């Protein structure tokens, strides 16, 4: 039986990074991920991370640029960011993916300015869904910690070689104190082999990284990133299984289900709200309601086949988004799930809700209200396809 | 392109040598070695690194790459290099 | 010729008489093959690495336009962490746009942190790769495509941003100015910079045939003239103290230098031209006096 320790979520993640034996960690402060990099700096100051170079950079743009240089030189790298910092990195995110560097970065999901907000939603990482990074979403601090060595193992696979964001909700998960199992060094050494890329910057075997591609060749490089994502679809599943074998914990692969098999109402969500949803489902199931949860763990690559298989017997699908595409009035899960079902024989209504912007709390009552609206929609059809579940109309 | 693409577009070193830029020339440098003092300024000043020292200490031009910029001729302290119109 | 022994191989697409090509050649000659080079987007990067070709016979990485120093910091940190630093020199080479303007944030951070690498700015005084637009390195009164001379303007209104002073203020152990027109001087300074531990900076003046408007055969001649007018002083500053100055043996008036380039041609026909040339002469005289050239 592994020992449980009560620690802050950020500490659990920092500790997980430590046992992955990183070589270079650039750090820049931004709420609410700062505690992660602070814990890592304390590990460095105590000599607990070996020869790892810990660098206090002057912006997030430089943080991720340091990751690129270090990774190309053969180092296993790590950084953490959120919101404005992630947005500042936008250009470099494309560059890292295109250069096929297996960077791992924790994103402590936070709302985007303006208005300025330090509290949680998914707008920051969802806004980066097209850049070519693997995106995994965790529901609690234990999963986020567990996701760290898994992310390295996925990214560093020679058929994948794509960078990954391990996303977890800012404040809700970064600052919560919970009992977790701190990842063991010996198990991690068994699970995660050393980083050994085929090509590195090395005077004894010089290579050119980052040549420009004219129209005759650019498309093929883009497509090769898609091939990497396809390989990741399988690898995310196998790595989750391998992790379970060694550490004895499983949080799902690409997706996970909770009372999904016979569910008539399927709620779909990512991140910490899953904890609340599971509690509500327990209560509603006790009352006889056939509600279930489809947890999306991998948002990129998007698990189209797994989703189709999971929802095919539902009476209504209810994606719950903490993001919105402004101008489409839909969150990412809603749009992408509808798109996944469109060309199939799966003719099930999709009723989308958006909530939790800028850290707005999602109490169980909110979920229950959504379920009851979904029940009505099964009978009388959908009138509004996508809407805010927590809008204060009296303020408008 | 016959070979499969490397993940990330990594390129082999020094591979520009397959591109013979000598075709760019309008003017061609010609040595008059009788004037040459073997100072080596021409070799040093060539942006294409296509001036090579020969066994006898004089210099010759690899016309596969020479773009005819004329720096060698302009810098030579003894007017050893003549820029002649390229006969095509 | 053993084509593969040239560390900067021929076959690249640099203009005939290209200053950047000369700069790359001299730098690699000075540093040798035990190096890793980081370059931003710009002329040098574009003309040397069209997939699937590369002119670089050393390890080389290009990421983006503004992050050269940060990427170099990452390479340096990786080599240290992995125990592979040995004598490998890390050489970051950036144009004036990438260094003085868009890349200055990362450059400042890298120098403030004290990474062990050398940053060389190859300054051709405008954003050349995109078609000769004004940068922080464009000299007073030069025509560029975004500061053109016209009826209501005499060109670039601002003086060059003084990058060497900025890098000295960062406490760099070695800052030097040199020119592609003085290959031996440039190679000596680049070699010295890479042999000093800590962040070192070399600023290379690089006359651009296409951007400045002169015949490609005159690249080195014009660079020499820039130094001889005292518009481009060459010196070494170690730990904040000037330790070496290139004395001018044959001082030239600025008019001779300006006349030889299309980008200053308007100064010889517009009414206020003489006044502006006088101001440029004052800049040159100030340099000559200040640095005892």
């Amino acid at each position: 039986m592994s020992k449980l320790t009560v620690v802050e979520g950020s500490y659990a993640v920092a500790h997980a990074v430590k046992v992955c034996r990183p070589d270079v960690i650039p750090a820049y402060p931004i709420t609410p991920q700062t505690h992660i990099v602070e814990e890592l700096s304390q590990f460095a100051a105590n000599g607990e991370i070996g020869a790892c170079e810990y660098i206090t950079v002057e912006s997030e743009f430089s943080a991720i640029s340091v990751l690129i240089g270090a990774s190309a030189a053969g180092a296993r790298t790590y950084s953490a960011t959120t919101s404005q910092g992630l947005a500042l990195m936008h250009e470099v995110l494309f560059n890292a993916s295109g250069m096929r560097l297996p960077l791992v970065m924790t994103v402590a999901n936070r709302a985007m300015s303006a208005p300025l907000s330090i509290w949680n939603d998914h707008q920051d990482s969802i806004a980066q869904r097209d850049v070519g990074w693997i995106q995994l979403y965790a529901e609690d601090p234990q999963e986020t910690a567990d996701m760290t060595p898994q992310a390295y193992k996925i990214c560093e696979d020679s058929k994948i070689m794509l960078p990954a964001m391990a996303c977890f909700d800012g404040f809700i998960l970064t600052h919560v104190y919970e009992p977790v199992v701190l990842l063991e060094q010996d198990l991690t050494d068994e699970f995660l082999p050393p980083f050994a890329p085929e090509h590195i910057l090395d005077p004894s075997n010089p290579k050119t990284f980052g040549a420009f591609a004219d129209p005759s060749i650019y498309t093929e490089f883009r497509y090769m990133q898609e091939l990497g994502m396809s390989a990741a679809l399988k690898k995310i599943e196998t790595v989750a299984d391998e992790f379970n074998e060694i550490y004895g914990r499983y949080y799902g692969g690409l997706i996970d289900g909770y009372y999904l098999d016979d569910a008539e109402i399927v709620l779909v969500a990512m991140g910490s709200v899953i904890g609340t949803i599971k509690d509500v489902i327990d209560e509603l199931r006790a009352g006889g309601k056939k509600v279930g949860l489809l947890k999306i763990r991998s948002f990129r690559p998007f698990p189209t086949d797994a989703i189709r298989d999971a929802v095919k017997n539902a009476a209504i699908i209810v994606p719950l988004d903490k993001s919105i595409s402004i101008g489409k009035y839909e969150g990412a899960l809603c749009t992408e799930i509808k798109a996944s079902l469109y060309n199939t024989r799966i003719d099930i209504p999709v009723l989308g809700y958006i909530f939790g912007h800028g850290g707005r709390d999602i109490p169980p009552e909110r979920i229950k209200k959504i379920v009851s609206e979904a029940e009505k929609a099964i009978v009388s059809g959908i009138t509004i396809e996508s809407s805010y579940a927590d809008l204060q109309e009296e303020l408008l | 392109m016959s070979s499969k693409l490397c993940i990330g577009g990594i390129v082999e070193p020094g591979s520009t040598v397959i591109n013979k830029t000598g075709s760019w020339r309008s003017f061609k440098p010609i040595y008059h070695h009788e004037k040459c003092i073997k100072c080596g300024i021409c070799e040093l000043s060539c942006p294409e690194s296509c001036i090579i020292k020969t066994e006898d200490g004089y210099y010759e031009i690899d016309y596969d790459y020479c773009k005819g910029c004329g720096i060698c001729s302009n810098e030579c302290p003894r007017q050893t290099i003549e820029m002649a119109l390229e006969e095509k | 010729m053993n084509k593969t022994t040239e560390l900067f191989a021929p076959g690249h697409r640099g203009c005939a008489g290209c200053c950047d090509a000369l700069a790359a050649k001299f730098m690699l000659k000075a540093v040798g093959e035990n190096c890793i080079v980081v370059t931003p987007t710009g002329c040098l990067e574009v003309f040397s690495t069209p997939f699937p070709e590369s002119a670089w016979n050393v390890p080389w990485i290009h990421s983006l336009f503004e992050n050269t120093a940060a990427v170099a910091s990452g390479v340096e940190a990786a080599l240290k962490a992995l125990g592979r630093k040995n004598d490998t020199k890390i050489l970051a080479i950036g144009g004036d746009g990438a260094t003085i303007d868009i890349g200055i944030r990362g450059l400042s951070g890298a120098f403030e942190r004290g990474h062990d690498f050398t940053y060389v700015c190859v300054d051709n005084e405008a954003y050349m790769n995109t078609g000769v637009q004004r940068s922080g390195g464009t000299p007073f009164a030069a025509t560029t495509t975004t500061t053109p001379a016209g009826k209501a303007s005499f060109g670039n209104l601002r003086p060059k941003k003084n990058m060497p002073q900025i890098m000295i203020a960062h406490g760099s152990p070695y800052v030097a100015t040199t020119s592609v027109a003085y290959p031996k001087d440039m190679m000596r300074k680049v070699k010295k910079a890479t042999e000093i531990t800590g962040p070192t900076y070399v600023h290379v003046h690089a006359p651009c045939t296409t951007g400045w408007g002169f015949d490609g055969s005159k690249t080195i001649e014009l660079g020499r003239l820039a130094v001889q007018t005292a518009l481009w002083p060459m010196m070494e500053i170690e730990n904040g103290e000037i330790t070496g100055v290139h004395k001018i043996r044959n001082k030239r008036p600025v008019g001779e230098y300006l006349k030889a380039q299309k980008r200053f041609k308007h100064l010889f026909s517009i009414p206020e031209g003489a006044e502006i040339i006088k101001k440029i002469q004052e800049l040159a005289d100030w340099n000559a006096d200040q640095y005892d050239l």
Side-chain angles (χ1 to χ4, degrees), chain A residues 17-82:
Chain A
V17 173
K18 178 172 80 160
V19 299
C20 289
R21 302 193 186 276
D23 299 306
V24 176
I25 301 175
Y28 194 78
I30 180 168
T31 307
Q33 63 82 22
T34 315
H35 285 181
I36 301 174
V37 298
E38 284 174 346
E39 299 291 0
L40 284 167
S41 78
Q42 193 62 64
F43 293 146
N46 292 338
E48 292 173 43
I49 48 173
C52 180
E53 287 282 311
Y54 186 93
I55 309 170
T56 47
V57 287
E58 79 292 345
S59 79
E60 288 94 345
F61 198 101
S62 285
I64 185 165
S65 301
V66 163
L67 295 182
I68 284 183
S71 186
R76 178 175 282 157
T77 56
Y78 176 79
S79 197
T81 192
T82 179

